[in-house]
Amino acid sequence: MSPSSADSTAPAGPGSAAHVVAIFVYDGVTLLDVAGPAEVFKEANRFGADYRIVLLSATGENVTSNLGFGVTVEGSVCSVPAPDTYLVPGSSLFPRTPVPRELAEAALVPTARAGRVASICTGAFILAAAGLLDGKRATTHWKAAHELAHRCPTCRVEPDAIYVRDGTTYTSAGVTAGIDLALALVEEDHGPDLTRDVARSLVVYLQRSGGQSQFSAPLQGPPPRSPALRTITDLVTANPEARHSLGDLAKHLNVSTRQLTRLFHDELSTTPSRYVEDIRFDLARAFLDQGHTATQAATLAGFPSYEALRRVFARKLSISPAAYQRRFSTARR
């Protein structure tokens, strides 16, 4: 990757100044954390935006990505006077090892002049090491959320969010969530219509809600250890719209409702009814993304009524199903 490839953006129009997106890179940086957001900004230029993408390293020397590919930079962190947007990608090195002090100090340099600062995935560890997350809400990859909370005890880590905004500081979850965050930043700059064009061109979601879960309910945590409970979770996952009352599920295993509830609590830290609700919630979101009405989505996903679906959306995302569909569904013609 080189400035010529990352910076293949439209030139600034007459009398206008390009919006500078500075991306901090270093040895071991996750290449997709760099390329994903950069592609969003580059694609936005095709629809009328004016972003200039600049890759920066601590010293201005080229770096090597996690894939072993060389990354050619345009300059050091001191070479851009005032980036409008400053991105700090992540690395598999973190959270396994502490962030070197010199890396955190270098990453801190552009923040004093940047209009907004954002991290991709475990780039949040670099922001935290630089003191930029103290007292703020933040997220990172769900596997690393506990470690981030440990290293930054004054930070309120939200492990199940796609991205989090706290003032002019943004943090995002793993890998592809950087694309969601970049789309959100483009929408801030240019509104939903242009962003919809970008999403459609890239064949991705218009943008997932910042509060949307990082992963589907069946993928949260390890699978059940006991074959009996695995039977129940497989049954619910395969046919979530069927009747799955506590009594019905217990009869399926020929156990008491109390014993089934204890199994769910011990192995999945949830209840049978909440597990069924989570599966149905994910399915309803998928139906909304496909263009079904909220009432249709509720019925197809197995909710007893639209009102039941609305209450779950309000509790999980703080928006209605209709509002979710308007803002976060897949871009469609």
Side-chain angles (χ1 to χ4, degrees), residues 14 22 54 64 82 104 108 135 185 201-202 216 236 287 295 316:
V54 181
T64 303
L108 182 63
L185 297 177
S201 180
L202 296 176
S216 299
V236 174
F287 285 129
T295 300
K316 290 179 176 290

Side-chain angles (χ1 to χ4, degrees), residues 65-126:
S65 74
N66 65 316
L67 299 180
F69 301 153
V71 179
T72 304
V73 304
E74 188 165 326
S76 74
V77 289
C78 299
S79 62
V80 177
D84 300 284
T85 298
Y86 175 53
L87 301 182
V88 179
S91 169
S92 59
L93 298 172
F94 318 121
R96 292 187 290 110
T97 60
V99 177
R101 185 178 65 179
E102 59 272 18
L103 182 65
E105 291 176 349
L108 182 63
V109 172
T111 62
R113 308 182 303 274
R116 57 193 179 194
V117 178
S119 65
I120 312 299
C121 196
T122 55
F125 283 83
I126 299 178

Side-chain angles (χ1 to χ4, degrees), residues 1-9 31 34-35 38-39 42-43 53-55 70-72 74:
M1 175 179 288
S2 66
S4 59
S5 59
D7 193 24
S8 55
T9 56
L31 194 59
V34 179
E39 189 67 26
K42 179 188 75 69
E43 194 69 15
I53 303 166
V54 181
L55 301 184
V71 179
T72 304
E74 188 165 326

Side-chain angles (χ1 to χ4, degrees), residues 119-275:
S119 65
I120 312 299
C121 196
T122 55
F125 283 83
I126 299 178
L127 295 190
L132 295 172
L133 297 185
D134 291 345
K136 295 183 178 180
R137 297 165 50 246
T139 192
T140 187
H141 192 289
W142 62 273
K143 285 185 176 180
H146 180 75
E147 179 64 20
L148 180 62
H150 173 71
R151 294 196 196 179
C152 186
T154 66
C155 175
R156 196 176 87 194
V157 179
E158 300 182 9
D160 196 21
I162 294 295
Y163 61 85
V164 169
R165 175 184 180 181
D166 192 322
T168 58
T169 302
Y170 302 73
T171 51
S172 64
V175 190
T176 57
I179 295 176
D180 296 293
L181 176 56
L183 285 168
L185 297 177
V186 170
E187 184 171 4
E188 280 189 13
D189 298 335
H190 298 284
D193 292 339
L194 184 145
T195 310
R196 185 178 297 109
D197 289 335
V198 174
R200 182 184 295 119
S201 180
L202 296 176
V203 199
V204 295
Y205 283 92
L206 172 59
Q207 76 183 65
R208 292 180 288 174
S209 164
Q212 184 174 331
S213 175
Q214 292 187 25
F215 35 78
S216 299
L219 300 180
Q220 297 188 30
R225 296 186 301 275
S226 67
L229 189 55
R230 176 71 70 86
T231 298
I232 292 299
T233 57
D234 288 348
L235 174 68
V236 174
T237 303
N239 192 20
E241 67 273 18
R243 175 181 168 85
H244 292 306
S245 68
L246 178 59
D248 289 337
L249 294 177
K251 286 180 182 178
H252 191 82
L253 287 184
N254 196 27
V255 298
S256 68
T257 57
R258 183 175 181 178
Q259 182 177 352
L260 182 63
T261 299
R262 185 171 63 252
L263 280 172
F264 268 87
H265 179 270
D266 291 345
E267 295 199 32
L268 299 178
S269 300
T270 189
T271 65
S273 60
R274 183 53 59 87
Y275 185 86

